[in-house]
Amino acid sequence: MLGLGLGLSSRAVLGGGMSVAAYLAAAGLTGSNAGADFQNDKYWLPSADALSAPRWASQTEFFALFSRASSATYIDASGVLRTAPADAPRFDYSSGGRRVLLEGGATNLIVQSVGMNSPEWSTAQIVRTFGQPSPDGQNNAVLCTVNGNVDPQVSVTLASGNPSGLTYTFSAWIRVVSRNNNELRRARLYSFGYPNGGGTEAVADVTLNITDEWVRYSWTRTFPAGMTSTLVRWRVDPFDGSDGVNQPSAGSSIAVFGWQVEASPFATSYVPTTSSAASRAADSFALPTAFGGVLSLPAASFLLRFDGSKEVGSNAYISGSDRYAGGNSSGTSVLLVGGTPNINMGNISVPTGPLGIAIGWDPGSKAGSVNNRVAVSTGTTVSINRSTNYLGRNSTGSVANSGYKLLAAYPARLSDATLQALSGT
């Protein structure tokens, strides 16, 4: 049931018989003595002090300081939605390859996202059939079959307060099951409020081009200011747009699963709910002490490759008491922090897409490159940081939501040209 994302390995050697040095050479990481290739489940740490040669480390050792106060979901290598227990890292494949998924906390405001059969849910011109095969490998999806009348729809109403000026993201898995009259593979997603005086307000919609396979769709909406509604409805109309009157033929159907609405500018991993809204706790990945020892050297470097940033804010991609690398408050730059001045390694708009960041320092300089751009350098160094070091968050717990692929530390200041070459994604 726990799938491929769990099962922490306690093996002392993960290199399949290959030495650490040979593996690092083959991976283009020669010189690193601490790191993690999350895509290939390989980990290495210094064999003695921070300047020593690397040894293989187990997954259990590398994640010994990882924590999360709740269970959380992820997509395994077979594309199945799985659930990781509290304090277990998630190795997610939703981006196509293996990543360690790190996210902040989130709440799914939809009641009974599993089952979809509480008073908050309603349908029109649709017959629901429960207990259908679902993306979690169970039978938790709902088949929605239209009856041939105008304007079929399935919806949920949230009593989550006035949404005026707030941003929410809706997400759900949807797939076409049958089309009796060759209807377009299309659905329309609506959201609107119910003001106190009656009627509706702030009606908006988006068209989804759906397929015969399970796909998780999302829609982010910022509601206009001045709304008076305290009830908000999210509605899916199957095959809307197939004809001029929105009347798909009787027997045509879609399946739906895992509806989620969260106060976020992007969709995060699914949080199942039953009788009330439910929350997922934030991931906290404190790096091994031995890894932090390398970062605490007067001369050191590191490489980080990940899926990039979706959000605006002063986010730390890797940090100690300060950010070693992160995004600024406008969401358009990647920075090296630690000593003055900071280094702006170039403007990158959010969402950034995949990022590769390589940074190095010694007692007289620091430099950084992002996505193979020419390294930017300055004559000041970083502050030596012997506190706890984190991946994907800062020291106060603010998480940079992303999938992280590779992290490597070097006990030396790499040249600017080497930093530029390493920083590809």
Side-chain angles (χ1 to χ4, degrees):
M1 179 65 184
L2 297 181
L4 301 177
L6 304 177
L8 295 185
S9 171
S10 60
R11 291 174 291 168
V13 177
L14 300 177
M18 183 182 290
S19 71
V20 184
Y23 169 74
L24 294 175
L29 301 172
T30 296
S32 171
N33 69 343
D37 180 351
F38 301 113
Q39 291 182 291
N40 295 295
D41 196 28
K42 289 182 168 54
Y43 311 91
W44 57 99
L45 290 170
S47 54
D49 62 33
L51 291 170
S52 63
R55 61 171 175 83
W56 285 122
S58 69
Q59 189 185 95
T60 299
E61 180 182 10
F62 206 89
F63 282 90
L65 301 177
F66 178 91
S67 65
R68 186 185 57 253
S70 73
S71 62
T73 63
Y74 65 98
I75 303 298
D76 75 8
S78 299
V80 177
L81 179 71
R82 302 293 188 184
T83 299
D87 294 329
R90 295 173 289 166
F91 299 107
D92 182 84
Y93 289 77
S94 59
S95 297
R98 189 179 191 268
R99 282 99 164 107
V100 59
L101 178 61
L102 301 176
E103 297 180 301
T107 297
N108 185 358
L109 300 172
I110 288 180
V111 175
Q112 207 175 94
S113 68
V114 177
M116 301 172 60
N117 195 26
S118 63
E120 292 82 3
W121 292 87
S122 62
T123 62
Q125 320 307 336
I126 276 179
V127 175
R128 284 180 291 180
T129 305
F130 300 98
Q132 302 299 300
S134 49
D136 59 357
Q138 306 298 312
N139 293 308
N140 292 318
V142 177
L143 181 68
C144 298
T145 304
V146 303
N147 64 9
N149 293 328
V150 174
D151 205 18
Q153 55 191 257
V154 57
S155 63
V156 63
T157 301
L158 305 184
S160 51
N162 189 324
S164 180
L166 301 179
T167 298
Y168 292 89
T169 295
F170 170 95
S171 56
W173 279 267
I174 306 174
R175 75 178 187 93
V176 174
V177 177
S178 62
R179 298 181 300 140
N180 282 359
N181 194 29
N182 202 34
E183 286 87 359
L184 295 176
R185 291 180 174 86
R186 182 177 295 173
R188 197 178 302 277
L189 171 59
Y190 290 87
S191 70
F192 50 86
Y194 288 113
N196 297 333
T200 60
E201 67 175 349
V203 178
D205 67 89
V206 63
T207 296
L208 307 177
N209 293 311
I210 57 179
T211 73
D212 297 342
E213 304 296 328
W214 283 117
V215 175
R216 192 186 189 206
Y217 300 90
S218 66
W219 178 36
T220 298
R221 183 183 180 195
T222 299
F223 286 86
M227 294 179 63
T228 63
S229 302
T230 56
L231 298 176
V232 175
R233 175 165 288 189
W234 298 83
R235 190 180 93 195
V236 171
D237 291 15
F239 308 109
D240 193 342
S242 292
D243 56 42
V245 294
N246 187 21
Q247 189 173 5
S249 61
S252 296
S253 60
I254 64 170
V256 295
F257 168 81
W259 289 33
Q260 180 158 299
V261 171
E262 54 192 310
S264 168
F266 51 87
T268 66
S269 61
Y270 173 54
V271 181
T273 70
T274 52
S275 59
S276 63
S279 299
R280 178 192 65 245
D283 295 296
S284 179
F285 189 4
L287 294 168
T289 301
F291 189 99
V294 179
L295 294 186
S296 295
L297 291 170
S301 305
F302 72 82
L303 165 65
L304 175 63
R305 293 174 183 158
F306 63 114
D307 288 338
S309 179
K310 304 174 184 176
E311 57 203 311
V312 173
S314 299
N315 303 305
Y317 308 139
I318 181 169
S319 71
S321 59
D322 274 325
R323 292 174 296 162
Y324 290 121
N328 70 1
S329 57
S330 66
T332 57
S333 301
V334 177
L335 307 176
L336 167 61
V337 179
T340 302
N342 299 326
I343 291 180
N344 183 334
M345 291 184 287
N347 293 334
I348 301 178
S349 298
V350 172
T352 63
L355 291 178
I357 298 173
I359 288 170
W361 60 86
D362 58 27
S365 69
K366 62 184 177 184
S369 172
V370 58
N371 289 8
N372 293 131
R373 296 183 182 185
V374 173
V376 180
S377 61
T378 182
T380 60
T381 188
V382 301
S383 55
I384 300 302
N385 184 342
R386 298 188 184 277
S387 66
T388 302
N389 293 273
Y390 295 95
L391 179 62
R393 55 158 282 188
N394 63 15
S395 59
T396 62
S398 177
V399 178
N401 295 267
S402 196
Y404 292 81
K405 299 186 288 187
L406 176 71
L407 176 64
Y410 299 77
R413 160 66 152 95
L414 301 179
S415 70
D416 289 9
T418 300
L419 294 173
Q420 180 182 355
L422 284 173
S423 68
T425 60

